[in-house]
Amino acid sequence: MLASKEEIKIQQAVVHILDSALGMPVLSDTLLDCGSDFSDFLKSHIFKIDSSDEIKNCSFTEESSVFPLVEEWNSEKFLEVSQKIAGELYTIMNQNIEIPAADLLVVEYAMEKHNYLALLKMNYKTSYTHLTNSDPWGNNNDIIKQKAILPGETQKLTEAALIDLMAPQYVRLVEKKYDVNGVKTNYFSQCFLKCKGSLSSKTKLAIVNKAVTEVQKKYFHDSEQFEVQMETKSILNQEFSEQGGLEVPVVIDKIFKEHPQMKEEVQEKLEKYNLTEATIEPQNPLTTKKFTKQHLMTDTGIELKIPMEEYNNKDKIEFITNPDGTISVLIKNIGSIESK
């Protein structure tokens, strides 16, 4: 994982306009001027993708039309190759109206002595801007709707690919499903790049978390749910804090150590995704942030946000089940309280 976007060195870049409403792609014959500001724009998007836990590690299949274009990479043919890649993508977009119009930024860049190719699909955003018209009576300022605004540096691209040109058979990508012939499809990998690969770290974690929650809801009474879910979150947070990731079989053993039947049902759910023996190692702290706090809501409307280190400290907080079945929360040793 890159430590910062400054490790990225932009070599050359081009933009192709892929707007289905135009009826044909508008392919550029010249390179972009990658000045410092625009270079930072490109670096920000590449860095965001490279460090994302939504990224998938894939490899091209024999049916791919893109792989032959990058297999024998030649920087001098950058424009020609980028145009062919853009043409492949536009054909798919033109056949499926649900895929949003976009500009395709093709970028060659260097990182850690490797050359890479980035395919950044910049889906259009709609926004407003001003327009000034001058006439003999003065200036006429107006507000107009602009339908081809590109995502800013802080925005996340939903479809993009990074290819190591020293090992071009492999591609790392992020993508979003759109309707293709009436079916929600990962068109970017399946139809455009034609590559196959594993689930992203974020998706793996979501599947494991969902499987555990479903089984717990099946077997535990509603009054017990908050306690078992808090304990599960505590176990996951501890694994991320101490190990930097989690080994699925180890975590499932810890969560269901006294419930073998539940453990078996969770494993059956995870077998469908080949995750029973998986290791999940998220790169981005935002992916695991939700496990660092307990967020509780009572039936009386009181909200509690408890840092996990405090939740695990019995000298700081205690949950007490009363004889009538209600629950009391005792918060201990408070030095001061602020109103926010």
Side-chain angles (χ1 to χ4, degrees):
M1 178 180 174
L2 290 173
S4 76
K5 67 179 185 181
E6 300 311 319
E7 296 179 46
I8 300 168
K9 307 299 180 186
I10 304 299
Q11 311 280 31
Q12 51 186 341
V14 65
V15 62
H16 301 299
I17 300 172
L18 308 182
D19 188 346
S20 304
L22 299 177
M24 61 181 295
V26 181
L27 305 179
S28 178
D29 296 313
T30 59
L31 296 174
L32 290 165
D33 180 8
C34 295
S36 59
D37 287 345
F38 184 62
S39 182
D40 280 343
F41 173 80
L42 296 176
K43 289 178 183 181
S44 294
H45 279 295
I46 293 170
F47 178 73
K48 191 179 292 291
I49 296 160
D50 187 78
S51 58
S52 170
D53 285 320
E54 296 180 21
I55 203 162
K56 302 177 184 180
N57 294 309
C58 303
S59 56
F60 286 109
T61 65
E62 293 181 357
E63 293 78 23
S64 175
S65 300
V66 174
F67 176 59
L69 297 175
V70 298
E71 185 178 15
E72 301 294 336
W73 181 256
N74 185 340
S75 295
E76 294 180 1
K77 295 184 178 181
F78 174 79
L79 278 175
E80 178 186 342
V81 171
S82 74
Q83 290 172 344
K84 290 179 180 178
I85 291 173
E88 292 283 339
L89 179 54
Y90 185 81
T91 298
I92 296 162
M93 293 169 60
N94 205 34
Q95 294 170 349
N96 300 278
I97 59 173
E98 294 298 325
I99 298 175
D103 285 357
L104 179 67
L105 273 167
V106 183
V107 186
E108 185 180 5
Y109 65 100
M111 187 175 67
E112 297 176 341
K113 298 181 179 180
H114 279 221
N115 272 18
Y116 292 81
L117 190 69
L119 307 177
L120 310 177
K121 184 168 181 279
M122 317 289 285
N123 293 339
Y124 297 148
K125 309 287 183 182
T126 299
S127 189
Y128 288 87
T129 187
H130 63 257
L131 177 69
T132 298
N133 291 311
S134 297
D135 56 36
W137 294 274
N139 294 327
N140 176 18
N141 295 337
D142 201 359
I143 298 294
I144 62 170
K145 182 181 285 188
Q146 173 58 262
K147 297 182 179 181
I149 301 295
L150 302 183
E153 288 185 34
T154 59
Q155 293 175 298
K156 181 174 65 175
L157 302 186
T158 55
E159 298 113 293
L162 307 177
I163 302 168
D164 185 344
L165 295 173
M166 293 183 69
Q169 68 271 34
Y170 302 113
V171 55
R172 304 171 69 223
L173 61 88
V174 293
E175 61 181 339
K176 180 179 178 179
K177 290 183 177 181
Y178 290 97
D179 278 346
V180 174
N181 297 323
V183 179
K184 289 287 186 181
T185 304
N186 282 321
Y187 82 93
F188 204 70
S189 62
Q190 296 178 22
C191 305
F192 169 45
L193 296 174
K194 293 185 180 175
C195 59
K196 294 181 179 180
S198 61
L199 299 170
S200 69
S201 294
K202 189 173 183 178
T203 300
K204 290 178 185 177
L205 181 57
I207 291 171
V208 172
N209 197 37
K210 182 180 180 181
V212 169
T213 301
E214 286 178 349
V215 171
Q216 287 175 333
K217 285 184 176 180
K218 176 181 177 181
Y219 284 94
F220 290 104
H221 189 269
D222 287 348
S223 62
E224 302 173 296
Q225 286 298 321
F226 93 95
E227 188 173 354
V228 296
Q229 289 178 20
M230 285 197 303
E231 184 59 29
T232 297
K233 186 176 284 190
S234 177
I235 290 171
L236 292 173
N237 180 69
Q238 187 174 6
E239 289 295 308
F240 288 128
S241 299
E242 296 178 358
Q243 309 298 332
L246 60 84
E247 295 181 24
V248 173
V250 172
V251 167
I252 299 304
D253 280 342
K254 289 182 178 180
I255 295 173
F256 298 104
K257 58 184 176 182
E258 297 177 0
H259 305 282
Q261 184 177 353
M262 295 187 206
K263 174 183 172 181
E264 186 175 338
E265 285 198 28
V266 170
Q267 289 175 327
E268 287 177 2
K269 290 177 178 291
L270 297 181
E271 279 178 8
K272 299 175 185 178
Y273 303 94
N274 297 317
L275 291 178
T276 52
E277 300 296 325
T279 298
I280 304 174
E281 297 177 316
Q283 301 181 77
N284 195 321
L286 292 176
T287 304
T288 58
K289 184 178 180 180
K290 66 179 180 180
F291 298 104
T292 62
K293 289 184 179 180
Q294 297 282 9
H295 187 185
L296 307 177
M297 171 74 81
T298 71
D299 58 357
T300 57
I302 297 173
E303 291 187 56
L304 294 174
K305 290 184 180 180
I306 309 169
M308 199 59 70
E309 59 268 21
E310 301 300 325
Y311 164 77
N312 290 321
N313 186 346
K314 303 308 177 186
D315 293 330
K316 295 287 186 170
I317 190 165
E318 185 178 354
F319 294 87
I320 303 167
T321 302
N322 302 314
D324 62 357
T326 60
I327 299 166
S328 296
V329 181
L330 178 60
I331 303 174
K332 311 173 185 179
N333 303 316
I334 299 173
S336 63
I337 296 178
E338 294 182 13
S339 177
K340 293 186 177 181

